[in-house]
Amino acid sequence: MDLHIFPRNNDLGPQMPTFRERLNGMMPAATEQKINAAPALETPRPASPHLMNNEEMEEALHQVEMQTAQQGQEALAAHAGLNEQRVARLLGLLD
């Protein structure tokens, strides 16, 4: 194994190549392109944070309204069920 002079960790000097560096040195460039098989994104997402346009703003507001309505219905159902259970227990205690 021979020493190479290349920068690693901001240190220029003779260093032993790591396993990954030796492996990368043996692989041809065409093979490296085939290894990266990540699927391409269909629609590029805007980088966040970004300013929303009108369509994105309306969609976000609609989602918030739907989540709020759903949480409100769940809260009403939970409290209505608790009230019925409490009334039934109280009637059972009074009888």
Side-chain angles (χ1 to χ4, degrees):
M1 192 166 310
D2 53 337
L3 293 174
H4 296 282
I5 297 178
F6 56 89
R8 184 192 302 148
N9 298 333
N10 296 325
D11 184 23
L12 183 63
Q15 300 174 8
M16 299 291 288
T18 63
F19 175 76
R20 175 58 65 187
E21 289 168 344
R22 284 183 286 146
L23 188 64
N24 288 341
M26 289 187 283
M27 296 173 50
T31 308
E32 291 177 9
Q33 292 175 353
K34 292 179 184 177
I35 290 175
N36 188 6
L41 297 175
E42 295 175 2
T43 56
R45 293 276 184 182
S48 60
H50 72 284
L51 294 175
M52 291 189 211
N53 60 20
N54 287 342
E55 294 172 358
E56 291 175 333
M57 185 66 74
E58 289 176 5
E59 181 181 341
L61 287 174
H62 180 68
Q63 288 178 354
V64 169
E65 289 174 355
M66 294 298 292
Q67 288 175 352
T68 304
Q70 181 182 5
Q71 290 173 356
Q73 292 295 328
E74 291 172 358
L76 283 174
H79 288 297
L82 288 176
N83 288 339
E84 291 174 6
Q85 290 174 358
R86 288 180 184 161
V87 170
R89 272 193 244 139
L90 287 174
L91 290 175
L93 291 174
L94 293 176
D95 287 337

